[in-house]
Amino acid sequence: MNEHTVKSYEEELALLDKKIAQMGGLAEQLLGQSLGALEKRDPKLAEEVVQSDKSIDNLEREIEEQVISMVARRQPMADDLRHIMGALRITTDLERIGDLAKNIAKRALAIADESHPKPLMSGIRHMVELALNQLKEVLDAYAERDADKALAVWRNDAQIDAMYNSLFRELLTYMMEDPRNIGISTHLLFGAKNIERVGDHTTNIAETVHFLVRGFNIADDRPKDDQTSSTLISST
């Protein structure tokens, strides 16, 4: 390839990374706002999150179209192919994180008129804060092509699972203490599960970054510690 072609190709790859960063920033923003809507019982903010998710969807389509075009025109190989296909995989996970933030906002809309138990909201806030930190770290790992940082994110997903297990048990206890708590607890439970799923998608991105940089998959089993299925069985 001549110098002009190489420069053009590098610009396309840089644009791809820029769109990934923009999409990741939006996902972080929506996740933080969805927590704010839930904590403050703010239906207006919740509705803004629901509507803003369309921006993430639009970026996903743009990236998909660019990837298809680049593969057709450039016929990338080796590192370039990993770069392009890795970006596509990360886009899918970021789109799902946007959807999960939107789902949390919908829960906030459903219980906007209800009072929230402070200990339970504290648990959800800690889960979101950890999920946001994990998402920021993995996006930095992608931008810096830092496989070690991605691996650290991958290993830390168990912390979100542990928080979810604890909150799950608290919510079950809260529901059993008073049937009137079942409605709000159910919405909070689904909200907490959405946050746990954000952690899963962040872990997916970490695996993609590791493969992008090192050229091979993480050999260890994924660190999962979601025990809620067995907790539910043992509680009945």
Side-chain angles (χ1 to χ4, degrees):
M1 292 188 291
N2 60 42
E3 184 178 348
H4 175 74
T5 302
V6 170
K7 183 179 180 182
S8 176
Y9 193 14
E10 290 175 349
E11 288 173 349
E12 287 186 66
L13 292 171
L15 178 61
L16 197 59
D17 286 347
K18 182 179 179 180
K19 288 179 180 177
I20 291 288
Q22 185 179 356
M23 195 174 180
L26 280 171
E28 288 183 74
Q29 177 183 325
L30 293 191
L31 186 58
Q33 288 178 332
S34 68
L35 171 65
L38 196 60
E39 279 194 309
K40 299 172 184 176
R41 289 172 282 176
D42 187 338
K44 183 178 178 181
L45 181 57
E47 189 59 45
E48 287 178 8
V49 173
V50 172
Q51 294 303 318
S52 295
D53 180 58
K54 295 174 184 176
S55 298
I56 291 182
D57 294 340
N58 291 337
L59 274 169
E60 181 192 28
R61 283 191 291 271
E62 286 182 23
I63 292 171
E64 286 177 348
E65 290 170 2
Q66 182 179 344
V67 166
I68 292 170
S69 174
M70 290 180 72
V71 169
R73 291 183 296 105
R74 304 294 190 180
Q75 298 182 348
M77 299 178 66
D79 290 349
D80 289 339
L81 183 60
R82 283 208 307 271
H83 185 164
I84 293 171
M85 299 314 295
L88 187 61
R89 288 172 60 183
I90 290 170
T91 297
T92 300
D93 283 304
L94 289 175
E95 189 276 333
R96 287 297 300 131
I97 290 173
D99 284 345
L100 291 164
K102 179 175 68 175
N103 290 344
I104 296 169
K106 287 181 177 179
R107 299 291 170 184
L109 282 170
I111 58 177
D113 296 328
E114 302 287 336
S115 60
H116 304 351
K118 288 185 178 180
L120 297 178
M121 283 309 305
S122 177
I124 288 177
R125 182 174 63 254
H126 289 154
M127 276 190 74
V128 171
E129 288 171 350
L130 182 55
L132 279 169
N133 183 67
Q134 290 281 86
L135 180 54
K136 179 184 181 301
E137 287 293 304
V138 84
L139 290 170
D140 287 346
Y142 175 73
E144 299 163 10
R145 298 297 189 267
D146 189 332
D148 290 334
K149 183 176 285 188
L151 189 58
V153 171
W154 184 83
R155 287 174 174 153
N156 286 338
D157 181 57
Q159 295 182 31
I160 296 180
D161 290 340
M163 286 187 181
Y164 176 59
N165 292 333
S166 176
L167 189 58
F168 183 89
R169 289 190 292 269
E170 286 185 58
L171 284 163
L172 283 183
T173 301
Y174 194 67
M175 286 189 276
M176 288 187 290
E177 287 176 350
D178 189 340
R180 291 173 295 182
N181 298 330
I182 291 175
I184 188 170
S185 296
T186 301
H187 283 293
L188 292 176
L189 186 59
F190 277 112
K193 182 60 180 178
N194 285 329
I195 301 165
E196 189 269 337
R197 290 291 296 139
V198 168
D200 289 342
H201 286 288
T202 302
T203 305
N204 290 346
I205 297 172
E207 290 176 348
T208 300
V209 173
H210 185 277
F211 180 76
L212 173 61
V213 177
R214 298 276 169 82
F216 58 88
N217 293 316
I218 298 172
D220 297 337
D221 292 332
R222 176 176 285 207
K224 287 297 296 175
D225 195 31
D226 181 355
Q227 302 169 359
T228 54
S229 56
S230 58
T231 301
L232 182 59
I233 292 170
S234 64
S235 300
T236 56

